[in-house]
Amino acid sequence: ARLWRQSVQRLRETKPERVLSDLNAIIEDSLRILEKHVSFQNIEIVKALDRPLPRVSVDPQEIRSVINNLAVNAADAMPNGGRLTIRTSAEPQFGMVVITVADTGVGISEENKRKIFEPFFTTKEKGKGTGLGLAMTYGIIQRHGGLISVESQVGRGTAITIKLPLR
């Protein structure tokens, strides 16, 4: 718990370095590196990126970290392979840009869906995860004034949706 408090404190002290950014470019940069990783060998990566997507004021490094974490979690949920789909779209009527990271993996139970953004919660075997990735992701999205939600069905996959404000 002390480690978590220290990590959160460091994140709070570090102000996001926000710049007007192209989310599609951030996603493509992240995926270019990830798709070479052994965890993604049996995974089809589908990029459904809306173009042109309005630029948003974000810390590119933090958003890259979010994409990496969600993609790696998706790959872990598909040990026998599957499809990872990353979709972007604009909702100008709501002043939002949307990123969805969806997989065809094992899914998340109803009970666990309520816990996935809690620090130290993990369903991974010992030594495979700390349970901090989704908690940190949640914190990053909140600091950007965004929203994050999860939809999942056991045995059918998971979709995590992020909405970031245009302004």
Side-chain angles (χ1 to χ4, degrees):
R2 194 176 86 238
L3 173 66
W4 167 249
R5 282 192 299 277
Q6 288 171 343
S7 295
V8 168
Q9 186 62 35
R10 249 183 267 122
L11 277 174
R12 285 186 183 140
E13 291 169 0
T14 306
K15 294 268 193 263
E17 305 255 344
R18 293 194 186 173
V19 293
L20 269 182
S21 302
D22 178 347
L23 289 177
N24 288 338
I26 293 170
I27 290 166
E28 287 178 337
D29 285 347
S30 296
L31 293 179
R32 200 174 357 268
I33 295 165
L34 286 174
E35 61 194 0
K36 294 177 181 138
H37 194 275
V38 68
S39 300
F40 289 84
Q41 283 183 344
N42 296 322
I43 295 174
E44 174 192 5
I45 298 175
V46 176
K47 293 180 260 187
L49 307 178
D50 195 6
R51 296 183 194 279
L53 192 67
R55 291 181 176 265
V56 290
S57 180
V58 296
D59 181 320
Q61 200 58 38
E62 287 192 339
I63 299 303
R64 193 171 286 113
S65 173
V66 165
I67 299 303
N68 289 344
N69 185 53
L70 295 179
V72 168
N73 282 353
D76 289 346
M78 300 182 286
N80 300 317
R83 183 182 322 108
L84 168 65
T85 303
I86 299 189
R87 175 173 281 108
T88 59
S89 62
E91 292 182 349
Q93 69 276 29
F94 301 114
M96 303 295 250
V97 172
V98 181
I99 304 169
T100 302
V101 178
D103 65 60
T104 56
V106 296
I108 304 168
S109 72
E110 283 300 316
E111 178 186 339
N112 287 343
K113 268 197 280 190
R114 289 187 287 265
K115 301 177 193 173
I116 65 167
F117 296 115
E118 291 177 10
F120 303 112
F121 177 77
T122 184
T123 58
K124 295 177 183 175
E125 62 188 64
K126 196 171 179 106
K128 295 282 186 186
T130 62
L132 290 176
L134 285 176
M136 299 289 251
T137 293
Y138 183 84
I140 289 169
I141 299 307
Q142 276 200 318
R143 277 198 315 283
H144 280 80
L147 305 167
I148 186 167
S149 61
V150 61
E151 288 181 38
S152 188
Q153 286 185 310
V154 173
R156 298 190 57 114
T158 300
I160 297 201
T161 300
I162 295 167
K163 294 186 177 191
L164 294 170
L166 284 170
R167 292 180 185 76

